[in-house]
Amino acid sequence: MKITSTTGESDLATVYVAELADGKLIEFVESVQPPLTRADKWVLIISTLAGCPVRCRFCDAGGFYAGKLSRQEMLAQIDYLVDWRYPDRRVPARKFKIQFARMGEPAFNREVVRVLEELPTRYHAPGLLPSVSTVAPRGTEQFFTELLAVKTGLYRESFQLQFSIHTTDPEARDRLIPVAKWDFPAIAEYGSRFFTAGGKKISLNFAVGNELPIDVGIVRRYFDPGLFVVKITPVNPTDAARRHHLCSAIPPDRENCPVINRLEDAGFQVVLSIGEQEENRIGSNCGQHVLNYLKSNRELEHSYTYPLRVRLSESAKAVDR
Ligand code: SF4
């Protein structure tokens, strides 16, 4: 794996663009969330596909698609970031979140589950918290069956599952996420099986923007606030969002965001995840950086090579068999 570019600030977020042995470009991110320190919470966001075939209208990762990443290629992203800071692979962060959420819809790659099986033995990380964000494409049921099994076996109370649904209007949802998807009853039914008492509630993600209505009555009709939380994010200012005239509809202060108030009145815990303006400049909010790199079509300075080291644990070898 050759790191071809890095952008960012280590006290906020750094985006790495890497070229794999077969020439595929991927990107991954490490970030902290001020005022929390890296010892409090360290977040890695890795790619599961090279680009993405879904082509959501606000996501630059959908600008190209060059295939699935292997287990080794996903682990190499995590190894690179861990080894850089903690060469003994002992990660002291109280919360060590690994998000399968950079480039690519993870449900299209069942090797994601193999990576999840590998993590607990690969790193000494008491704060390990994997997180999978999905648009729930239809036809990926085997992935979700295996995901439930690995979560039940290894991560009963330390796993975060997020469904990116974004709007309650079926037509707007289809325009925004142009693949066949699970409907709300299917998401609710899977969520009810996935949730473990004492574990994290399942997140329903909404990117609040123009043309993306949220009917709180519909959310409440299908989803139980005892099992689901709602995460509200802005529509980030990506190239794709600009092209489709999508922009954030979140007012600067939470008190004046009516949809948040209505969701809370309906019994939901609401997490508002705004991020920092600086992150938009860095491009750490979505799959922006590779696209910019492809557009720039130039060899960046300071590129260097990181050997793809894969140390398969016994559990992973067992899975291989
Ligand atoms: S938001 Fe996710 S599913 Fe949609 S194009 Fe981007 S990476 Fe793919």
Side-chain angles (χ1 to χ4, degrees), residues 10-205:
S10 70
D11 55 358
L12 185 60
T14 306
V15 184
Y16 297 82
V17 176
E19 184 178 340
L20 301 178
D22 61 2
K24 287 191 201 106
L25 284 177
I26 60 165
E27 64 188 41
F28 50 98
V29 177
E30 72 150 345
S31 72
V32 290
Q33 294 173 349
L36 299 180
T37 66
R38 188 168 283 106
D40 296 321
K41 185 176 179 182
W42 190 38
V43 181
L44 313 187
I45 311 170
I46 70 159
S47 294
T48 57
L49 309 175
C52 187
V54 179
R55 305 176 76 89
C56 295
R57 288 170 75 123
F58 55 59
C59 177
D60 287 343
F64 69 103
Y65 178 55
K68 301 176 188 182
L69 301 190
S70 67
R71 176 181 52 184
Q72 290 88 340
E73 289 165 341
M74 287 183 270
L75 287 169
Q77 299 168 60
I78 304 168
D79 284 355
Y80 177 80
L81 297 171
V82 169
D83 291 350
W84 182 258
R85 295 200 182 273
Y86 308 106
D88 60 359
R89 298 204 171 168
R90 303 177 78 83
V91 181
R94 275 183 283 286
K95 191 180 279 186
F96 173 39
K97 191 169 179 181
I98 300 179
Q99 288 186 259
F100 296 81
R102 186 62 185 179
M103 294 170 64
E105 163 52 55
F108 285 144
N109 189 350
R110 282 165 57 195
E111 288 297 289
V112 167
V113 180
R114 307 287 88 78
V115 172
L116 289 166
E117 288 164 340
E118 172 89 5
L119 294 178
T121 49
R122 196 175 186 83
Y123 311 107
H124 180 80
L128 178 62
L129 174 68
S131 171
V132 167
S133 303
T134 177
V135 299
R138 239 187 267 157
T140 57
E141 286 67 24
Q142 187 61 31
F143 170 87
F144 285 101
T145 299
E146 293 178 13
L147 185 69
L148 177 55
V150 76
K151 182 261 183 185
T152 305
L154 295 176
Y155 302 103
R156 281 190 76 77
E157 295 176 6
S158 56
F159 196 96
Q160 190 173 59
L161 176 62
Q162 307 189 38
F163 286 104
S164 298
I165 57 180
H166 299 313
T167 174
T168 52
D169 181 310
E171 288 178 10
R173 187 170 170 232
D174 281 343
R175 272 197 306 275
L176 188 75
I177 307 170
V179 288
K181 301 167 287 298
W182 289 5
D183 58 15
F184 292 168
I187 293 173
E189 189 278 327
Y190 182 80
S192 69
R193 287 188 286 124
F194 201 88
F195 176 74
T196 307
K200 290 199 158 297
K201 290 182 184 176
I202 292 137
S203 180
L204 302 171
N205 297 349

